[in-house]
Structures are given as C-alpha cells and as structure tokens.
Amino acid sequence: MDLNSLSKSDAPTVEVGNTQPDLSQPSARSSYSYQKVDHDLQHSGPGIASFIISLVTIMGYAALFVFIIMKASSMVNENSNLLAESSQSIMLLGMTVIILSALNVIGVVIGIIGLSIRKRRKVFGVIGTIINGVIILLFMLLITIFLVNAGTL
C-alpha cells in the first residue's frame, strides 16, 4: 500500500504524551503513541556556554603558563631580584589571572542555570560546571598556599 494513497482518515494518528492507546475503539489498533525520550531532547544553551567558557579558560591558563616560562628569565637579574622594567609584564599577568578567574565564576553560574532548565540535556552543563568549579577551587587553594607561605617569611 502506498503511503501517498492514504486519506487523512486512513493515516495513523500520533498522540504525544499518551503512553497507552485506548483499545476499546476500533481505530485504536491502527494508532500508536509517541513518547519523547532522552535522546530527543536538545542540549541546554547555558550548559554549552559553560562548557565553552571552561575550555577558553583552560587555554588561557595554558597560554599564561607558557608566557610566564618564556618571560621568567628576562624578569630577573643575576641576583634573582625583579627588574623595574618587568612591572608591566607582572601587571599584565595579574590582570589576566583575574579576568580568567572571573570567567570561571561566570561559567559556574551559567552552568548551574543550564542544569536547572527542564526538558533539556544536562551533559554540557555538568561538565562545564565541574571544570569551572575545579579551576576555581585550585585557584583558591593556590592563593591560600601563597598566603600561608608569605606569613612564614
């Protein structure tokens, strides 16, 4: 039987949300129900944004680390004292770290928003929130270690 030859009354009907057809009607045998499953859901936009922010900040921290390694020898003199010309580079590094950590905080907030949206996939929201949260925790741990060691000098 050709599907194009069916009239509207002969075509099977689709009922969204009804999981059990009513078998008391004669046309119920030809109808079927469709229920949305998880693989039909779309990804949440804020979750994807949180994941992208986490990737951008990881690349930013990696670039910052490479920049510090490249500039470390030119910032100190023979006596291991900082040179006066290196103050701009140090300020640039500090501002970059502050901007990247602020992006991580924004990524956590957006990831939580992505997790709270109903009827959407939450994979990217979970991954983005975890990565951004771990980076923030590591950054706070690093600051704590530096503050503790600065008090012992």
Side-chain angles (χ1 to χ4, degrees), residues 82-96:
L82 288 174
L83 297 174
E85 302 90 33
S86 64
S87 63
Q88 288 181 343
S89 297
I90 293 172
M91 187 169 150
L92 176 69
L93 294 175
M95 291 300 293
T96 306

Side-chain angles (χ1 to χ4, degrees), residues 94-112:
M95 291 300 293
T96 306
V97 168
I98 290 172
I99 290 170
L100 288 174
S101 60
L103 276 175
N104 285 126
V105 171
I106 292 169
V108 167
V109 171
I110 291 175
I112 292 171

